[in-house]
Amino acid sequence: MNAPTEPPALRPLQGVTHTAAATLVLAGTAWTALAVWHIRLAAAGQPASGPPDQGEGRHRPLNSLENGYHLVSTLTEVATALCAIVFLAWLWSVRDNARALSGKRPRYAWPWVYAGWVIPIANLWIPRGVIADIHRSSAPDTRLPRALNWWWGLWLVGTLTGTGLLHGDTADSVIERAYTNVTPLLLVDAAVIGTAVAGTLMVRAVSAVQRKHMPESSRQGVEADAPGERVA
């Protein structure tokens, strides 16, 4: 019979929280730029030569506005990927702290921290459940932050449409859609931008409640292990 594993030590949160919030703001800013380009494409209208993808493997030369969209789209993908990596790093930190504060194993085993985002059907509730469990384990007497539900609701709107953070259309196909029917794209842009805003508030709220419920001696020890960080 395996001996029970020791709960992890409390981990500093100030740096990882600020970084996660900053990358969420960065991703939201990138998606705002993408929305602006969608509007510019719609306002310009499709050229007489037709969409960039002419079909049967033929593509016409892009104009300057379309080239600009390709650049903005690529930068948005990079910002979103960076945000995802940093967000998961924050999630691991608060998950370890929740276990240390409660002395109990998390409701969701560690593979769900990753798999919960990509397994169909399960990804409709498990990521929110992971964070809700972290919050409840950290502060059983505290209500879940409203930002958690706003963040998750907007995330689902952005992803279930097939054109949010997980959409797989090429930039040229999105350009064509912006020319012909931009409204669905703008609705998804708004949902993703809202997700970033609500996510920023949610990250700060979960981290704040953990710092509040740390024993004073443990809080001082965490600060000592992380020079330059202070508890807000």
Side-chain angles (χ1 to χ4, degrees):
M1 184 174 179
N2 293 331
T5 58
E6 290 291 330
L10 287 168
R11 300 174 63 176
L13 289 176
Q14 195 79 359
V16 71
T17 299
H18 285 332
T19 305
T23 55
L24 281 161
V25 171
L26 176 65
T29 301
W31 277 88
T32 301
L34 201 66
V36 169
W37 240 263
H38 289 153
I39 294 171
R40 292 185 64 188
L41 288 165
Q46 185 167 275
S49 54
D53 187 348
Q54 303 279 292
E56 300 181 353
R58 294 179 294 110
H59 290 75
R60 65 165 171 77
L62 301 178
N63 59 37
S64 60
L65 187 59
E66 293 164 347
N67 274 320
Y69 180 81
H70 272 262
L71 176 61
V72 171
S73 178
T74 298
L75 292 176
T76 300
E77 291 175 358
V78 171
T80 302
L82 177 63
C83 179
I85 293 169
V86 174
F87 183 85
L88 286 174
W90 169 82
L91 190 57
W92 273 111
S93 293
V94 292
R95 184 177 182 273
D96 284 350
N97 281 354
R99 186 179 173 195
L101 289 169
S102 68
K104 300 177 182 178
R105 290 182 178 276
R107 178 181 178 185
Y108 296 93
W110 71 263
W112 287 113
V113 175
Y114 299 114
W117 298 91
V118 297
I119 295 179
I121 307 301
N123 62 4
L124 298 180
W125 75 85
I126 284 183
R128 180 196 176 278
V130 169
I131 296 176
D133 181 58
I134 288 169
H135 190 279
R136 292 189 183 105
S137 297
S138 304
D141 57 337
T142 305
R143 294 179 60 181
L144 294 175
R146 292 180 181 177
L148 173 60
N149 290 329
W150 278 105
W151 164 74
W152 190 243
L154 290 166
W155 169 275
L156 291 179
V157 170
T159 56
L160 290 179
T161 56
T163 52
L165 293 177
L166 302 180
H167 93 89
D169 290 347
T170 65
D172 283 347
S173 67
V174 177
I175 288 171
E176 181 178 357
R177 292 166 62 191
Y179 283 141
T180 58
N181 186 18
V182 74
T183 301
L185 291 176
L186 294 179
L187 290 176
V188 172
D189 292 337
V192 176
I193 294 165
T195 300
V197 173
T200 302
L201 298 175
M202 182 271 294
V203 163
R204 295 177 65 87
V206 173
S207 294
V209 83
Q210 283 198 344
R211 291 196 297 268
K212 180 180 178 180
H213 284 76
M214 287 180 183
E216 185 63 30
S217 58
S218 297
R219 191 184 308 177
Q220 292 173 354
V222 167
E223 292 179 36
D225 290 340
E229 294 189 356
R230 59 182 180 84
V231 176

